[in-house]
């Protein structure tokens, strides 16, 4: 297994990515190779600085970097030798089994869709985030921003994607899929939810448990929460801000600790033909390590093959 | 000034409403009359039980009650002698200057639109909630559920409504109005936000400061946050659940304390021809008192006249 890591992506790269690569390397089993994509000399210097042998890694040298603020489509096209572009090219060519970066999220989305492409039958790939449950354990929220506007059929597909992710990577048995709405009853909600509910109810591809509301997100009413990417992004950023506030206030609590994105690594892009994980811009070495391990879990559980099977006509 | 209070509305009515009426009565000035609408005998008995004179109140006896779970439109039509229906009839007839209830929210919305009706020029009334700012003070979020689907022009009108509320009742000078979105740049967001941004930018009726994200809600980036009622309702319920979690966890903090809905009384329905305030179903006596005082403030500041002026053709 070969996992490609963008060494130039993220606010604290390449320092954080090198330290994260070292931490990941210590955890990965033999045969699980980490391919470091970026400025090889800089990376080798940093490894040496940290007294860590470069022998355990593979290196792919790149000369360009896509910045956090760059226009995704333009950047991917105009910087073919950027770490993100090269990573996706390798993923497409089968030289990598997974690719992860804490860099420009838009470029990662565009790169994934341009290179490995969407799985046949999947209308729109989705991005997910983890939501901790008050009683312990976790839930999955999707989409969190890849698709600001969604059709009902797309939300139903998110149910399939989220359900398979929950089952495979997070070992949640028969995951309960809920529709994020503003009322419990079937007829409640905006036009999108009203049209989505009956389709989800009919679906035999996942265990639909009905509507939930904003207050239920941290409860144990469901394992997968489906919404459009606008709603999901607002929820994600609001939850992040709550976490930041508890940190600032010095409020220590194991529940709030579980909001820490670092331990989840990053957000997988679900519905493309290879495992791709996008990290938070502020990713620390711990986060980078867990992005790599999430890639490994997605490869090991054959998540993409499961998606392909679920969406084959 | 006469403020009508639905004595039968809310999970803890009529006990909580009677105690709330007593607390409000102690705060109201002379000439600010509280009209208690509901089962007069039950109310009088409860006042006596609490050793509080009934002389300071006016009483309007009603024989029916609209339950929390009833279908709003049906209930308002089929129960003409319910406290909510009678309250709105009195408001329409000019026998009340404001009306408030912690009962069935849908029935309050329907009742308001059927009786006093929407202000000419206002496309859709909105419901608001208060969001505490981390640095102190408060912001206003609207719509929080009256309109699950909104047109861009409706969001612009919410900007006007929210801005005038902030100015009048909360004495915020030149309130900053922001569009809740999933990116800072003008072109970001779902189709609704993309269409709304330029309209808000052009508007001369309020001080538009651009897009904000979910993480900015408790910051000081704006005073009025505009979104569709679906997004707003998810935000509101998520914020409530965070507050409940901090309470359960015993995390005491003045910022989280300011999430307590009790101190804000309730949510005004903005854009109808009279001051109407809807309370939380679980309203305590403190919340009931503050619902009454919010009504008073809306009457005193001539908020409805300001709306009428802003929307006159």
């Amino acid at each position: 297994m070969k996992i490609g890591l963008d060494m130039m992506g993220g606010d604290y790269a390449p320092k954080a990515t090198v330290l994260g690569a070292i931490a990941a390397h210590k955890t990965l089993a033999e045969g699980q190779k980490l391919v470091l994509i970026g400025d090889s000399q800089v990376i080798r210097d940093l490894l040496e600085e940290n007294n860590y042998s470069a022998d355990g890694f593979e290196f792919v040298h790149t000369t360009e970097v896509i910045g956090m603020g760059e226009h995704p489509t333009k950047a991917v096209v105009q910087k073919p030798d950027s770490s993100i572009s090269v990573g996706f090219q390798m993923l497409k060519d089968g030289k990598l089994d997974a690719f992860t970066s804490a860099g420009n999220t838009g470029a990662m989305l565009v790169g994934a869709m341009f290179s490995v492409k969407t799985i046949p039958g999947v209308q729109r790939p989705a991005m997910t985030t983890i939501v901790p449950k008050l009683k312990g354990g976790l839930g999955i929220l999707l989409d969190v921003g890849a698709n600001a506007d969604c059709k009902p059929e797309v939300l139903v597909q998110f149910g399939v994607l989220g359900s398979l992710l929950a089952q495979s990577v997070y070992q949640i048995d028969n995951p309960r899929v809920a529709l994020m709405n503003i009322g419990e009853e079937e007829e409640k909600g905006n036009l999108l939810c009203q049209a989505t509910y009956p389709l989800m109810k009919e679906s035999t591809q996942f265990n639909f448990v009905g509507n939930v509301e904003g207050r239920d997100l941290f409860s144990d009413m469901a394992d997968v929460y489906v919404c459009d990417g606008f709603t999901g992004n607002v929820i994600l950023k609001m939850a992040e801000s709550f976490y930041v506030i508890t940190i600032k206030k010095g409020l220590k609590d194991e529940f709030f600790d579980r909001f820490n994105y670092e331990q989840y690594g990053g957000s997988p892009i679900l519905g493309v033909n290879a495992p791709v994980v996008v990290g938070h811009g502020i990713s620390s070495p711990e986060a980078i390590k867990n992005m790599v391990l999430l890639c490994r879990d997605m490869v090991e559980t054959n998540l993409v093959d499961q998606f392909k099977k679920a969406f084959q006509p």
Side-chain angles (χ1 to χ4, degrees), chain A residues 1-3 28 31-35 96-98 292 295-297 299-300:
Chain A
M1 182 195 307
K2 288 196 179 183
I3 300 167
L28 290 172
Q32 296 172 344
K33 273 275 176 192
L34 203 42
V35 181
L96 291 178
D97 298 293
V292 172
C295 279
R296 176 200 63 191
D297 293 345
V299 175
E300 271 189 340

Side-chain angles (χ1 to χ4, degrees), chain A residues 86-100:
Chain A
V86 169
F88 277 118
Q89 189 58 47
M90 291 179 70
L91 193 63
K92 185 186 171 188
D93 295 343
K95 290 175 187 160
L96 291 178
D97 298 293
F99 178 52
T100 184

